[in-house]
């Protein structure tokens, strides 16, 4: 993939295409974190945390509930994916507390990378392919709205213009970022059930 032409906000209108494309970006960011050192590693890791936060939250808010309702055996498929996501989130929080220059950080990063790759492969194989067969183009386009809204607050490349604005939107711990992403997604999807009282 030519990284220079990767758009900041993805142009796809199909939720499955968007999520699969994010899986590729996540892989690229893991490579970037491992390749960089010092402050650059910390900065690349921040972008990885942001992308993972919006990606997994979008799946949990939009795609998994849909798969649970629509797919044969959907409960089992989704329960397995949620368990994998929980394990990844715990690793992510541990990493976030570590010194990025330490050998422990690199070991934990490798563990997280293996877990996230296996998780993404299981999603594509057991959930996304089935979901694509069970939904209409219109349904997948409607689901893409929330994923795009979340994506817009997590640029994957350093961007002088948007970086400061992004920092205001997604800051703090991975858990705080997921909470923020959840609010953005629910607003985009027209839901108001995040405890805001309306
Ligand atoms: Fe996931
Ligand atoms: Fe995923």
């Amino acid at each position: 993939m030519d990284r220079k032409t990767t758009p900041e906000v993805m142009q796809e209108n199909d939720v499955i295409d968007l999520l699969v494309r994010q899986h590729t970006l996540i892989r690229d960011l893991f490579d970037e974190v491992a390749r960089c050192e010092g402050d650059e590693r910390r900065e690349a890791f921040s972008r990885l945390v942001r992308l993972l936060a919006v990606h997994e939250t979008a799946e949990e808010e939009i795609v998994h509930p849909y798969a649970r309702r629509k797919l044969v055996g959907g409960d089992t498929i989704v329960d397995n994916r949620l368990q994998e996501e929980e394990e990844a989130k715990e690793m992510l929080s541990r990493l976030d507390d570590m010194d990025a220059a330490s050998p422990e950080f690199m070991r934990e990063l490798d563990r997280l990378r293996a877990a996230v790759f296996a998780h993404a492969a299981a999603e594509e194989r057991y959930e996304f392919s089935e979901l694509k067969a069970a939904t209409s183009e219109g349904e997948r386009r409607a689901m893409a709205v929330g994923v795009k809204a979340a994506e817009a607050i997590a640029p994957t490349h350093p961007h002088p213009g948007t970086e400061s604005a992004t920092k205001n939107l997604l800051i703090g711990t991975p858990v705080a970022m997921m909470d923020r992403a959840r609010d953005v997604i629910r607003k985009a999807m027209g839901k108001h059930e995040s405890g805001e009282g309306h």
Side-chain angles (χ1 to χ4, degrees):
M1 181 170 59
D2 183 351
R3 300 171 62 86
K4 287 192 293 294
T5 61
T6 303
E8 201 61 60
V9 177
M10 297 175 184
Q11 300 304 310
E12 284 95 336
N13 288 314
D14 183 302
V15 70
I16 304 296
D17 293 345
L18 272 169
L19 292 173
V20 169
R21 178 108 174 268
Q22 287 184 344
H23 285 170
T24 304
L25 289 176
I26 288 165
R27 278 194 192 97
D28 289 349
L29 272 175
F30 268 108
D31 289 346
E32 201 176 327
V33 176
R35 208 171 47 233
C36 292
E37 289 180 357
D39 288 348
E40 285 184 357
R41 178 183 289 167
R42 194 75 221 177
E43 192 276 327
F45 178 69
S46 294
R47 280 183 282 133
L48 175 64
V49 175
R50 286 205 292 267
L51 181 57
L52 280 172
V54 300
H55 176 82
E56 299 302 343
T57 305
E59 288 174 341
E60 287 172 15
E61 287 293 311
I62 303 165
V63 174
H64 294 335
Y66 211 83
R68 202 185 274 287
R69 288 199 307 273
K70 280 257 178 177
L71 301 185
V72 177
D75 277 333
T76 307
I77 293 169
V78 171
D79 286 345
N80 288 339
R81 298 298 81 74
L82 288 174
Q83 194 185 330
E84 293 159 1
E85 283 169 13
E86 281 310 310
E87 287 164 8
K89 280 180 206 170
E90 283 169 24
M91 281 187 243
L92 199 58
S93 289
R94 271 203 301 277
L95 267 167
D96 196 53
D97 287 337
M98 285 181 183
D99 173 3
S102 67
E104 294 77 31
F105 180 91
M106 293 311 290
R107 274 200 295 275
E108 188 70 11
L109 184 74
D110 280 345
R111 287 187 60 221
L112 177 67
R113 184 201 325 232
V116 167
F117 284 14
H119 169 66
E123 280 177 338
E124 291 179 21
R125 175 179 295 186
Y126 301 115
E127 185 178 3
F128 294 174
S129 57
E130 300 287 314
L131 201 58
K132 196 147 195 167
T135 52
S136 69
E137 259 184 58
E139 287 172 306
R140 292 197 300 279
R141 216 172 22 243
M143 285 190 272
V145 171
V147 178
K148 283 186 175 186
E151 167 75 23
I153 60 169
T156 52
H157 299 272
H159 228 255
T162 57
E163 184 66 11
S164 54
T166 303
K167 275 187 178 146
N168 291 333
L169 289 173
L170 279 190
I171 53 166
T173 63
V175 171
M177 290 186 196
M178 286 172 210
D179 286 344
R180 173 75 184 135
R182 190 168 291 114
D183 284 343
V184 169
I185 291 164
R186 287 183 179 179
K187 280 203 180 78
M189 301 299 285
K191 293 178 189 168
H192 302 280
E193 56 204 44
S194 55
E196 290 175 349
H198 51 86

